Coordinates of all heavy atoms in Angstrom, one line a residue:
I1 N 18.7 51.3 26.3 CA 17.2 51.0 26.6 C 16.3 51.5 25.5 O 16.5 52.6 25.0 CB 16.8 51.6 27.9 CG1 17.7 51.0 29.1 CG2 15.4 51.5 28.2 CD1 17.5 51.6 30.4
Q2 N 15.3 50.7 25.1 CA 14.4 51.1 24.1 C 13.6 52.3 24.5 O 13.1 52.3 25.6 CB 13.5 49.9 23.7 CG 14.2 48.7 23.3 CD 13.2 47.5 23.2 OE1 12.1 47.7 23.0 NE2 13.7 46.3 23.3
P3 N 13.4 53.2 23.5 CA 12.4 54.3 23.8 C 11.0 53.7 23.9 O 10.7 52.7 23.2 CB 12.5 55.2 22.7 CG 13.2 54.4 21.6 CD 14.1 53.4 22.3
Q4 N 10.1 54.2 24.7 CA 8.8 53.7 24.9 C 8.0 53.6 23.6 O 7.1 52.8 23.5 CB 8.0 54.5 26.0 CG 8.6 54.5 27.4 CD 8.6 53.0 27.9 OE1 7.5 52.4 27.8 NE2 9.7 52.5 28.4
T5 N 8.3 54.5 22.7 CA 7.5 54.5 21.5 C 8.0 53.7 20.4 O 7.3 53.4 19.3 CB 7.6 56.0 20.8 OG1 8.8 56.3 20.6 CG2 6.9 57.0 21.8
E6 N 9.1 52.9 20.6 CA 9.6 52.0 19.6 C 8.7 50.7 19.5 O 8.4 50.1 20.6 CB 11.0 51.6 20.0 CG 11.8 50.8 18.9 CD 13.2 50.6 19.3 OE1 13.5 50.5 20.5 OE2 14.1 50.6 18.4
T7 N 8.4 50.3 18.3 CA 7.7 49.0 18.2 C 8.6 47.8 18.5 O 9.9 47.9 18.4 CB 7.1 48.9 16.7 OG1 8.2 48.8 15.9 CG2 6.3 50.1 16.4
A8 N 8.0 46.7 18.9 CA 8.8 45.5 19.0 C 9.6 45.1 17.8 O 10.7 44.7 17.9 CB 7.9 44.3 19.5
E9 N 9.0 45.2 16.7 CA 9.6 44.8 15.4 C 10.8 45.7 15.2 O 11.9 45.2 14.8 CB 8.7 44.9 14.2 CG 7.6 43.9 14.2 CD 6.4 44.2 15.2 OE1 6.4 45.3 15.8 OE2 5.5 43.4 15.3
A10 N 10.7 47.0 15.4 CA 11.8 47.9 15.2 C 12.9 47.7 16.2 O 14.1 47.7 15.9 CB 11.3 49.4 15.4
A11 N 12.5 47.3 17.4 CA 13.5 47.0 18.5 C 14.4 45.8 18.1 O 15.6 45.8 18.2 CB 12.9 46.8 19.8
V12 N 13.7 44.8 17.6 CA 14.4 43.6 17.1 C 15.4 43.8 16.0 O 16.5 43.4 16.0 CB 13.4 42.4 16.7 CG1 14.1 41.3 16.0 CG2 12.6 41.9 17.9
Q13 N 14.9 44.6 15.0 CA 15.8 44.9 14.0 C 16.9 45.9 14.4 O 18.1 45.6 13.9 CB 15.0 45.8 12.9 CG 15.8 46.0 11.6 CD 16.2 44.8 10.9 OE1 15.5 43.8 10.8 NE2 17.4 44.8 10.3
R14 N 16.8 46.8 15.3 CA 17.9 47.6 15.8 C 18.9 46.7 16.6 O 20.1 46.8 16.4 CB 17.3 48.6 16.8 CG 18.4 49.4 17.5 CD 17.8 50.3 18.5 NE 17.0 49.6 19.5 CZ 17.5 48.8 20.5 NH1 18.8 48.7 20.6 NH2 16.6 48.3 21.3
D15 N 18.4 45.7 17.3 CA 19.3 44.9 18.0 C 20.1 44.0 17.1 O 21.3 43.8 17.4 CB 18.5 44.0 19.0 CG 17.9 44.7 20.2 OD1 18.3 45.9 20.4 OD2 17.1 44.1 21.0
I16 N 19.5 43.5 16.1 CA 20.2 42.7 15.1 C 21.4 43.5 14.5 O 22.5 43.1 14.3 CB 19.4 42.1 14.0 CG1 18.3 41.1 14.6 CG2 20.1 41.4 12.9 CD1 17.3 40.7 13.7
Q17 N 21.0 44.8 14.1 CA 22.0 45.6 13.5 C 23.2 45.9 14.5 O 24.3 46.0 14.1 CB 21.3 46.9 13.1 CG 20.5 46.8 11.9 CD 19.6 47.9 11.6 OE1 19.6 48.9 12.4 NE2 18.9 48.0 10.5
H18 N 22.8 46.1 15.7 CA 23.8 46.3 16.9 C 24.8 45.2 16.9 O 26.0 45.4 17.0 CB 23.1 46.5 18.2 CG 24.0 46.5 19.4 ND1 24.6 47.7 19.8 CD2 24.5 45.6 20.2 CE1 25.4 47.5 20.8 NE2 25.3 46.2 21.1
Y19 N 24.3 43.9 16.9 CA 25.2 42.7 17.0 C 26.0 42.6 15.7 O 27.2 42.0 15.9 CB 24.4 41.5 17.3 CG 23.7 41.5 18.6 CD1 22.3 41.5 18.7 CD2 24.5 41.5 19.8 CE1 21.7 41.4 19.9 CE2 23.8 41.5 21.0 CZ 22.4 41.4 21.1 OH 21.8 41.4 22.3
M20 N 25.5 42.9 14.6 CA 26.1 42.6 13.3 C 27.1 43.7 12.8 O 27.7 43.6 11.9 CB 25.1 42.3 12.3 CG 24.2 41.1 12.6 SD 25.2 39.6 12.9 CE 25.9 39.3 11.3
R21 N 27.2 44.9 13.6 CA 28.0 45.9 13.1 C 29.5 45.5 13.1 O 29.9 44.6 13.8 CB 27.8 47.2 13.9 CG 28.4 47.1 15.3 CD 27.9 48.2 16.3 NE 28.7 48.3 17.5 CZ 28.6 47.5 18.5 NH1 27.6 46.5 18.4 NH2 29.3 47.6 19.6
P22 N 30.4 46.2 12.3 CA 31.8 45.9 12.3 C 32.5 46.0 13.7 O 32.0 46.8 14.6 CB 32.4 47.0 11.4 CG 31.3 47.4 10.5 CD 30.0 47.3 11.4
G23 N 33.5 45.2 14.0 CA 34.2 45.2 15.2 C 35.6 44.8 15.1 O 36.1 44.6 14.0
T24 N 36.3 44.6 16.1 CA 37.7 44.3 16.2 C 38.0 42.7 16.1 O 39.1 42.4 15.6 CB 38.3 44.7 17.5 OG1 37.7 44.0 18.7 CG2 38.2 46.2 17.7
L25 N 37.0 41.9 16.3 CA 37.2 40.4 16.1 C 36.9 40.0 14.7 O 36.1 40.7 14.0 CB 36.4 39.6 17.1 CG 36.6 40.0 18.5 CD1 35.7 39.0 19.4 CD2 38.0 39.7 19.0
Q26 N 37.5 38.9 14.3 CA 37.2 38.3 13.0 C 37.0 36.8 13.2 O 37.9 36.1 13.2 CB 38.4 38.6 12.0 CG 38.7 40.0 11.7 CD 37.5 40.7 10.9 OE1 36.8 40.0 10.1 NE2 37.4 42.0 11.1
L27 N 35.7 36.4 13.3 CA 35.3 35.0 13.5 C 34.8 34.5 12.0 O 33.8 34.9 11.6 CB 34.2 34.9 14.5 CG 34.7 34.8 16.0 CD1 35.2 36.2 16.4 CD2 33.5 34.3 16.8
G28 N 35.6 33.6 11.5 CA 35.4 33.1 10.2 C 34.2 32.2 10.2 O 33.5 32.0 9.2
S29 N 33.9 31.5 11.3 CA 32.8 30.6 11.5 C 32.3 30.6 12.9 O 33.0 31.0 13.8 CB 33.1 29.1 11.0 OG 34.2 28.7 11.8
L30 N 31.0 30.2 13.1 CA 30.4 30.2 14.5 C 30.6 28.8 15.1 O 30.4 27.8 14.3 CB 29.0 30.7 14.3 CG 28.8 32.0 13.7 CD1 27.3 32.4 13.8 CD2 29.6 33.1 14.5
P31 N 30.7 28.7 16.3 CA 30.9 27.4 17.0 C 29.5 26.7 17.1 O 28.5 27.3 16.8 CB 31.5 27.8 18.4 CG 30.9 29.1 18.6 CD 30.9 29.8 17.3
P32 N 29.5 25.4 17.6 CA 28.2 24.8 17.9 C 27.4 25.5 18.8 O 27.9 26.2 19.7 CB 28.6 23.4 18.4 CG 30.0 23.2 17.9 CD 30.6 24.5 17.8
L33 N 26.1 25.4 18.7 CA 25.1 26.2 19.6 C 24.3 25.2 20.5 O 23.8 24.2 20.0 CB 24.1 26.9 18.7 CG 23.0 27.7 19.5 CD1 23.6 28.8 20.3 CD2 22.0 28.2 18.5
S34 N 24.3 25.4 21.8 CA 23.5 24.7 22.7 C 22.4 25.6 23.3 O 22.5 26.8 23.2 CB 24.3 24.1 23.8 OG 25.3 23.1 23.3
L35 N 21.5 25.0 24.0 CA 20.4 25.7 24.6 C 20.4 25.3 26.1 O 20.3 24.0 26.4 CB 19.0 25.4 24.0 CG 17.8 26.1 24.7 CD1 17.8 27.6 24.4 CD2 16.5 25.5 24.2
Y36 N 20.4 26.2 27.0 CA 20.2 25.9 28.4 C 18.9 26.5 28.9 O 18.5 27.7 28.6 CB 21.3 26.6 29.2 CG 21.1 26.4 30.7 CD1 21.5 25.2 31.3 CD2 20.6 27.4 31.5 CE1 21.2 24.9 32.7 CE2 20.4 27.2 32.9 CZ 20.7 26.0 33.4 OH 20.4 25.8 34.8
V37 N 18.1 25.7 29.6 CA 16.8 26.1 30.1 C 16.8 26.0 31.7 O 17.1 24.9 32.2 CB 15.7 25.2 29.6 CG1 14.3 25.7 30.0 CG2 15.7 25.1 28.1

């Protein structure tokens, strides 16, 4: 959970870094993207 003092911009940057950090999977390419509303 974000600390109350964190700016929205900083939170977005932190989240991107969280998703992009090294991991156990190796996906050479990303699949097609759809949007559900």
Side-chain angles (χ1 to χ4, degrees):
I1 296 175
Q2 302 172 21
Q4 293 297 313
T5 57
E6 186 176 35
T7 66
E9 292 79 5
V12 167
Q13 186 60 39
R14 174 187 54 76
D15 287 351
I16 295 171
Q17 292 171 350
H18 172 85
Y19 294 116
M20 298 306 294
R21 73 192 191 283
T24 59
L25 301 182
Q26 298 293 328
L27 276 70
S29 61
L30 301 182
L33 176 67
S34 295
L35 176 72
Y36 175 78
V37 184

